[in-house]
Amino acid sequence: MTTTSYLVIGASHRTCSGVVRDRLSTDEAEVAGMLDRLRAAGVGQAVWLSTCDRVEVQAVHERPNEAALAIAEAMADRAGLPTADLAPQLYTRTGIDAVRHLFAVACSLDSQIVGEPHILGQLKAAHRSAAGAGMTGPELEAVLQAAYAAAKRVRSETPIAEGATSLAAAAIQVARDLHGDIRRCGALLVGLGDMGALVLEGLREAGMPRLTVAAPVDRRAEAAARRLDGHFAPWADLEAAMTGADILVTAAGLGRYILTAPMMEAVLKRRRRRPVFVVDAAIPADVDPAVAGMDGAFVYDLADLERVALQGRVGREAATQAAWMIVDEAVAAFARDRAERAAVPAVAALRTHFEAERRRLLAGHADLDAASATRLLVNRLLHAPSEALRALAADGSGEGLAERAAAERLMFRLFGLDRLTGAALEETERDKDERREPGREVR
């Protein structure tokens, strides 16, 4: 019987730099082409998920190792890198580990900012794209729906989402303290990390009229600007765009400082030292620590915002632990359900076999009484497994003995022989006692 395995392969903020993720990233119009590439490589069920934090493929395949290689090659082509260079920066999960990873992603437990609300919507959008391309099937649908159910439980049963939203609210609070009416301010988002987008969305809801987006890949910045109903600034014009920003949010995480001290000094001079509120929402940091000491620059990182939000680390860790408990419960329930479903064909095949033997026996021995017929049927049904056990017993190798022991344990478990054997022994003892009674003939 052919079986399938769940598979996840990708690159995230945990495994590679923002530069590589930018080269791997795809916008909505490009996803169909990547799915076509995977289909041509023999991967028939797959979701291509591209976010600021990660680019990964969630798939189902009969041969997960072969599928992982095909997906890695497709990703390397996308990034313009040799597969051997990209492979060390990819993570691969198979089987139940892949399921747990997918659930964690859906629940925002694998995001840079645990609890951020965007990832579930991004996953559902990627799912819709895969379904539209004919790249989903019952196995992939089952695990995705189970992941969504786990995410709903995490959102409703834990306060984990409050952490991310409170950080954004804290940034808005500091912006108001510094600038007063933020409706007269302008903001610039540098990079496309989820926490940065969350702060910008909060500023938009708070009434800030001017939002601008810049990112190392201009096409991605343009798409984000449209989504945020803001303006786009080319990466080459970053310093000029910074000059007009009263609030500067960095969320690129390229592994190097984007906002250097000389750059900020030039920006502040052109602004005539009008204050700039800088939110470094990137991991690793985008802002040179020296910027914080400049007159007119007010730099807050995520830890600073957490303190402003009065969100105790112990409370957040407790919420995260509670969320992981829900994920682990959901993964176990999903695995149990799939195992039960997988057992149905085997049970059906066994029933069909037994029924066929019964019909053959009745056809050839219509004159037998019930006792003789059932005895003969039992002998026929036990013939094949008895021969198999004898063959295993005859194999004196360690492997043969281990296989025999495993087969016997499975047989006892499948047919409840532990209980039956105990009852049979009691019945045998009673028979012996009765045969020993005075006056009873022993044969």
Side-chain angles (χ1 to χ4, degrees), residues 11-26 50-55 79 86 89 112 193 217 219-220 251-254 283-284:
S12 76
H13 61 283
R14 300 182 189 281
T15 64
C16 71
S17 68
V19 174
V20 173
R21 295 200 305 276
D22 280 339
R23 297 176 72 167
L24 284 169
S25 68
T26 53
S50 180
T51 75
C52 303
D53 286 347
R54 76 187 65 250
V55 178
L86 180 63
Q89 302 184 67
Q112 287 195 45
V217 180
R219 59 179 173 78
R220 295 188 66 203
L254 299 182
I283 303 173

Side-chain angles (χ1 to χ4, degrees), residues 361 372-386:
L361 184 144
S372 300
T374 53
R375 186 179 299 111
L376 183 57
L377 178 60
V378 169
N379 288 338
R380 286 193 176 186
L381 295 178
L382 290 177
H383 175 72
S386 297

Side-chain angles (χ1 to χ4, degrees), residues 109-377:
L109 291 173
D110 196 56
S111 300
Q112 287 195 45
I113 306 300
V114 172
E116 59 85 10
H118 297 95
I119 184 62
L120 184 58
Q122 292 167 330
L123 178 58
K124 289 182 175 180
H127 181 187
R128 288 193 296 270
S129 296
M135 287 289 285
T136 59
E139 295 87 0
L140 192 54
E141 285 290 342
V143 75
L144 287 168
Q145 294 302 330
Y148 300 154
K152 183 177 180 179
R153 280 193 61 194
V154 167
R155 294 282 170 182
S156 63
E157 297 177 24
T158 77
I160 193 168
E162 297 173 6
T165 54
S166 66
L167 292 178
I172 296 168
Q173 176 185 327
V174 175
R176 284 177 170 149
D177 291 343
L178 181 63
H179 292 299
D181 187 357
I182 62 174
R183 289 176 296 181
R184 295 195 299 267
C185 297
L188 172 66
L189 174 62
V190 181
L192 302 176
D194 287 329
M195 191 62 208
L198 194 64
V199 171
L200 262 289
E201 288 172 3
L203 290 169
R204 171 65 79 190
E205 292 173 1
M208 179 169 287
R210 292 183 289 114
L211 302 178
T212 304
V213 181
V217 180
D218 284 345
R219 59 179 173 78
R220 295 188 66 203
E222 284 189 272
R226 287 194 298 270
R227 189 170 62 251
L228 293 167
D229 191 22
H231 304 285
F232 156 68
W235 189 250
D237 299 336
L238 178 60
E239 192 168 320
M242 289 170 55
T243 301
D246 303 296
I247 301 171
L248 179 60
V249 182
T250 67
L254 299 182
R256 58 180 175 80
Y257 296 139
I258 293 175
L259 182 53
T260 62
M263 181 187 294
M264 192 64 195
E265 181 61 30
V267 168
L268 288 170
K269 282 183 179 178
R270 284 197 292 272
R271 287 178 58 84
R272 298 182 180 179
R273 296 291 168 179
R274 282 184 295 117
V276 180
F277 174 38
V278 181
V279 178
D280 189 349
I283 303 173
D286 286 336
V287 180
D288 185 340
V291 173
M294 294 182 176
D295 183 24
F298 297 83
V299 182
Y300 282 67
D301 62 14
L302 295 177
D304 297 325
L305 293 178
E306 188 174 22
R307 284 190 288 272
V308 172
L310 300 177
Q311 192 75 17
R313 183 170 299 278
V314 173
R316 294 191 67 190
E317 288 179 354
T320 301
Q321 290 173 4
W324 273 114
M325 288 180 64
I326 291 173
V327 166
D328 288 335
E329 289 174 8
V331 169
F334 178 78
R336 199 161 49 243
D337 176 71
R338 301 310 292 177
E340 290 170 357
R341 290 173 182 270
V344 170
V347 172
L350 187 62
R351 184 182 295 276
T352 300
H353 169 63
F354 283 8
E355 178 62 19
E357 288 294 338
R358 187 184 73 85
R359 289 178 181 276
R360 277 195 290 270
L361 184 144
L362 291 176
H365 302 84
D367 57 336
L368 289 178
D369 58 45
S372 300
T374 53
R375 186 179 299 111
L376 183 57
L377 178 60

